[in-house]
Amino acid sequence: MKLLVADDEDTIRRGLAKYIQLHSNRFDKVYEAENGQQAIDMIIKYQPELILLDVQMPLKTGIEVMKEVKKAGLDPITMILSGYDEFKYAQQAVKYGAADYLLKPVRANEILECINEHMEKKYGKEEIKVLEEEKNTGHLVRAAQEYISEHYMDNLSLSSVADILGISSGYLSTILSQNLECGFVDYLNTVRIDRACCYLEQNYLKNYEVAYKVGFHDEKYFSKVFKKIVGMSPREYRLKH
């Protein structure tokens, strides 16, 4: 699973990220954001399951981040870390779906306890047990999905992903088709269009900017693929949402 720590105080942000990486095996990816806008971009891009979010940050506040994330249709577990013991902040945080509101200063081990509690509550203990890494088809498919999820905006190809995994492109094509019931290009396009939907709902980028941001280098092709997957054009989707 993936975690995002968003805090403009470097010491707190880096300290928390390092502590969680050292003391928990539930997160194989821990990202850091130093301001609210960066947090929004990283949440849309990486879609972490859990967010530790400071209230007062440059560019966008924690409450504004939660508002934008909810608007984008995403629902991560969000824990607010705040130095402000004011009812209005807690009230707004709850309104936009905060699972917890912790007041600074708070110890890292207490934060981790809360993280574990909320993760188990949402996913169940069995689902979040970390399994030993097995070299089988399922693991390779998951690794391919994760790599595509984090690099979808790049110029990916079947062979480039296969090289990263250390297998042949033919074998990767086969296991993707068997396990995902679609080929590499179709899966990549599905991920790209899913991210594009988030950006369109944000409504601050033009269609061609969204296309380039998610990895398409031709706006017409982007629109064609978008309509095939979503059933409407990017413009229609933007207006509807």
Side-chain angles (χ1 to χ4, degrees):
M1 292 188 175
K2 293 170 283 188
L3 167 71
L4 172 67
V5 181
D7 198 307
D8 61 324
E9 295 185 55
D10 291 347
T11 304
I12 293 177
R13 185 182 70 252
R14 292 171 183 169
L16 264 178
K18 186 175 182 181
Y19 181 89
I20 292 168
Q21 286 176 308
L22 288 173
H23 294 88
S24 175
N25 56 8
R26 287 180 171 170
F27 301 100
D28 56 351
K29 297 288 183 181
V30 178
Y31 304 102
E32 297 179 36
E34 61 184 23
N35 61 63
Q37 186 57 58
Q38 187 180 42
I40 292 171
D41 292 340
M42 295 184 79
I43 292 166
I44 292 175
K45 180 178 179 180
Y46 299 119
Q47 300 196 3
E49 284 79 7
L50 192 141
I51 305 167
L52 295 178
L53 194 60
D54 186 22
V55 169
Q56 291 296 339
M57 292 185 290
L59 303 184
K60 296 277 187 179
T61 67
I63 302 300
E64 289 173 323
V65 171
M66 292 186 68
K67 184 178 180 180
E68 292 296 321
V69 169
K70 187 173 183 179
K71 184 179 176 182
L74 302 175
D75 186 31
I77 298 171
T78 304
M79 295 172 56
I80 294 291
L81 303 177
S82 174
Y84 296 86
D85 187 11
E86 292 187 30
F87 177 71
K88 68 174 182 178
Y89 289 120
Q91 187 181 41
Q92 288 177 312
V94 171
K95 177 182 177 181
Y96 293 111
D100 226 324
Y101 191 94
L102 303 176
L103 286 175
K104 297 176 181 178
V106 57
R107 293 183 177 181
N109 65 313
E110 294 174 352
I111 294 173
L112 186 55
E113 286 177 12
C114 288
I115 287 174
N116 291 334
E117 179 183 333
H118 289 298
M119 293 291 283
E120 290 173 6
K121 183 178 179 181
K122 182 167 183 177
Y123 297 105
K125 291 184 179 180
E126 294 302 318
E127 287 78 1
I128 57 177
K129 282 182 179 177
V130 178
L131 303 175
E132 292 183 1
E133 191 176 38
E134 71 279 14
K135 299 214 174 198
N136 59 19
T137 299
H139 169 65
L140 288 171
V141 171
R142 289 193 297 274
Q145 287 178 293
E146 182 177 335
Y147 187 81
I148 291 170
S149 178
E150 294 194 3
H151 299 273
Y152 63 88
M153 72 296 297
D154 299 334
N155 187 25
L156 292 184
S157 65
L158 178 67
S159 59
S160 66
V161 177
D163 287 343
I164 291 294
L165 299 178
I167 59 178
S168 71
S169 56
Y171 181 53
L172 177 58
S173 177
T174 299
I175 63 175
L176 288 179
S177 297
Q178 290 175 344
N179 289 270
L180 303 180
E181 298 183 355
C182 67
F184 172 81
V185 173
D186 287 339
Y187 181 75
L188 173 61
N189 283 341
T190 299
V191 173
R192 286 174 168 172
I193 296 304
D194 179 63
R195 301 300 193 271
C197 287
C198 291
Y199 285 117
L200 289 171
E201 288 169 21
Q202 295 297 304
N203 201 31
Y204 61 83
L205 293 176
K206 292 182 170 60
N207 286 357
Y208 76 88
E209 292 176 316
V210 173
Y212 279 86
K213 202 168 183 69
V214 300
F216 289 95
H217 299 290
D218 184 322
E219 186 183 355
K220 289 184 178 179
Y221 180 62
F222 163 67
S223 296
K224 180 181 178 181
V225 174
F226 191 97
K227 189 167 186 177
K228 178 182 177 182
I229 293 175
V230 181
M232 64 183 77
S233 69
R235 181 178 179 278
E236 291 170 332
Y237 185 89
R238 186 194 295 274
L239 291 172
K240 183 176 180 181
H241 292 80

